[in-house]
Amino acid sequence: IRLNGMLHSDDNCATKEIARQLCLEHQLSFSKMASSDDNTEFMIDMLRECGLAHKTVIFVLEEFDLFAQGKQRLLYSLLDAMQSLTSQAVVIGLSCRLDADQLLEKRVRSRFSHRKLLFVPSSLDDIQRLMEHLLMLDKDSSLPTNYVTEYNSRLTSIFSNKKFKGVLDSLTDTDATTSNILRFLFRVVSYMDMESGFLSMECFTDALSSMQRQPKMDSLQDLSILELYILVCMNRLEDKEQKSYNFNTIMKEYKSIQDAYKTSDKYATTVCFRAFEHLLDRELITFADTKGRNVALEYRPVKLLISSRELAQSLKLNTTCPAVLQKLLDRERYM
């Protein structure tokens, strides 16, 4: 049974989806009109019957931390049902949050096995070794020896190129999983020059460009200079490892930049606030949590929804961008 916290964090929706998948698996008729209690009771009955039939039900909860919000009735029902001697079930939660289990209520945590597997992302050296292993040709292959030697030599030269390191950094910034690396290499090979039969640095850069998401970059190109200032200020605050900041904190950072660089780009607070609201509407920034809905907008904690690299690239492409913003982003670090 597969559930995703982005879609099924609501208890009623989750129990309905569990009932639907169980009915589909066992060729039973599914009732869309059944209540949440009916679906929960059906799930428990099915777990009992599967246990008696020596069949194991595996629940995979993606974005597990989103299920840990609210009253957590679904998690309690699942883990409580597993306490029965007759049921044979496993609940696997997948999350990017290391503290996902700490979000569980006491009654749910008491039924949790506390078995956790931490998958550490591969290092850049490991990823490069994987690429070399997949792209290098075997010397004992049926291809002409001269071609194999030349092909491997050119590839080795690419891997030692500083530009390749930048491509690798950009690729792993967004997704360093093996599956994403394989998709990238597939695109690299598809850009190979068919006449020469060799890979070039352009194959890697073109493959990266085709994989990078453009909507955010397009949104960044349309921003005003003031909005770019706000994004750079937020980026600076996050670089300083400031855990929580709001509009007022951003304005203090903005003022410190004006005082330090004596720029002519000075705007009134009311104008800055309208630009801040516009960034929220464009979903380039968002609120850090949902706790302060009744708090005034300027006091609510916010966070960036774009990476430092995306911001740096947009500043580079923006012809009206002040030079001071480029300096503030520390280009050597990100580009």
Side-chain angles (χ1 to χ4, degrees):
I1 307 296
R2 288 186 171 272
L3 300 176
N4 190 304
M6 302 285 283
L7 303 172
H8 311 116
S9 57
D10 177 72
D11 292 327
N12 294 337
C13 179
T15 53
K16 193 172 188 177
E17 178 61 18
I18 290 171
R20 187 192 70 80
Q21 291 189 37
L22 285 171
C23 288
L24 186 66
E25 177 68 25
H26 294 90
Q27 298 180 343
L28 301 173
S29 58
F30 169 65
S31 172
K32 294 182 179 179
M33 304 303 292
S35 66
S36 178
D37 289 338
D38 291 337
N39 286 328
T40 302
E41 188 178 344
F42 171 73
M43 175 187 74
I44 294 171
D45 289 341
M46 285 299 295
L47 287 176
R48 188 184 302 113
E49 290 299 320
C50 288
L52 293 172
H54 302 292
K55 290 184 178 180
T56 302
V57 181
I58 301 174
F59 294 89
V60 180
L61 308 184
E62 297 186 54
E63 307 292 346
F64 179 78
D65 52 286
L66 298 180
F67 287 100
Q69 297 177 1
K71 296 182 179 179
Q72 303 182 12
R73 282 187 301 227
L74 172 70
L75 295 178
Y76 177 78
S77 298
L78 283 175
L79 297 177
D80 190 58
M82 289 171 59
Q83 306 301 312
S84 169
L85 293 174
T86 56
S87 67
Q88 292 184 187
V90 178
V91 177
I92 301 173
L94 308 176
S95 175
C96 292
R97 289 189 58 166
L98 295 175
D99 64 341
D101 60 315
Q102 300 302 314
L103 302 174
L104 300 176
E105 291 180 355
K106 188 176 180 180
R107 61 173 186 157
V108 179
R109 198 180 300 148
S110 65
R111 289 162 172 77
F112 174 50
S113 67
H114 296 280
R115 281 181 285 185
K116 295 189 288 185
L117 291 175
L118 178 61
F119 295 92
V120 181
S122 302
S123 67
L124 288 178
D125 290 338
D126 290 336
I127 292 172
Q128 183 165 330
R129 278 195 292 270
L130 173 65
M131 288 185 172
E132 290 174 2
H133 173 72
L134 293 171
L135 292 179
M136 288 286 195
L137 294 176
D138 191 348
K139 293 179 180 179
D140 298 329
S141 69
S142 57
L143 295 167
T145 306
N146 291 341
Y147 169 75
V148 172
T149 304
E150 180 67 16
Y151 175 90
N152 289 342
S153 174
R154 292 195 182 199
L155 208 52
T156 302
S157 177
I158 291 172
F159 287 140
S160 60
N161 192 323
K162 189 176 180 181
K163 197 173 182 181
F164 172 78
K165 306 293 183 185
V167 170
L168 196 57
D169 283 339
S170 298
L171 180 68
T172 54
D173 266 355
T174 51
D175 188 352
T177 58
T178 304
S179 57
N180 189 54
I181 301 299
L182 292 176
R183 282 195 296 272
F184 171 71
L185 293 182
F186 180 84
R187 295 192 184 215
V188 169
V189 174
S190 72
Y191 282 110
M192 180 189 284
D193 179 11
M194 296 305 292
E195 290 185 9
S196 66
F198 296 118
L199 291 172
S200 64
M201 190 66 238
E202 286 68 31
C203 297
F204 290 86
T205 54
D206 290 346
L208 179 65
S209 298
S210 69
M211 288 187 69
Q212 286 178 330
R213 294 178 296 176
Q214 297 302 318
K216 281 186 182 179
M217 295 297 293
D218 294 339
S219 295
L220 287 165
Q221 294 308 303
D222 299 332
L223 296 182
S224 66
I225 291 175
L226 175 56
E227 288 164 343
L228 291 174
Y229 263 105
I230 292 174
L231 292 177
V232 170
C233 288
M234 291 178 68
N235 185 79
R236 280 166 61 86
L237 289 170
E238 292 190 2
D239 269 359
K240 294 174 184 176
E241 296 185 357
Q242 187 153 337
K243 293 182 180 179
S244 179
Y245 58 89
N246 54 31
F247 173 74
N248 292 332
T249 319
I250 296 167
M251 285 298 97
K252 289 179 183 176
E253 183 69 21
Y254 174 65
K255 188 177 184 304
S256 70
I257 292 173
Q258 300 302 318
D259 293 341
Y261 291 89
K262 308 296 181 185
T263 68
S264 59
D265 303 312
K266 291 185 178 180
Y267 300 90
T269 305
T270 52
V271 178
C272 293
F273 189 69
R274 284 200 296 271
F276 177 75
E277 289 180 311
H278 185 236
L279 291 173
L280 284 169
D281 292 338
R282 297 288 289 268
E283 296 186 353
L284 293 171
I285 65 175
T286 188
F287 297 114
D289 55 53
T290 57
K291 295 177 182 177
R293 290 181 178 176
N294 298 324
V295 180
L297 205 61
E298 57 266 35
Y299 297 109
R300 291 188 65 180
V302 290
K303 63 180 180 180
L304 278 170
L305 289 178
I306 57 172
S307 67
S308 299
R309 186 175 298 280
E310 287 174 322
L311 182 55
Q313 287 177 344
S314 69
L315 293 182
K316 188 178 180 182
L317 295 172
N318 194 317
T319 54
T320 61
C321 175
V324 66
L325 288 180
Q326 296 275 3
K327 295 177 182 177
L328 289 169
L329 261 189
D330 188 8
R331 288 172 294 177
E332 289 186 6
R333 177 179 173 188
Y334 295 120
M335 303 186 70

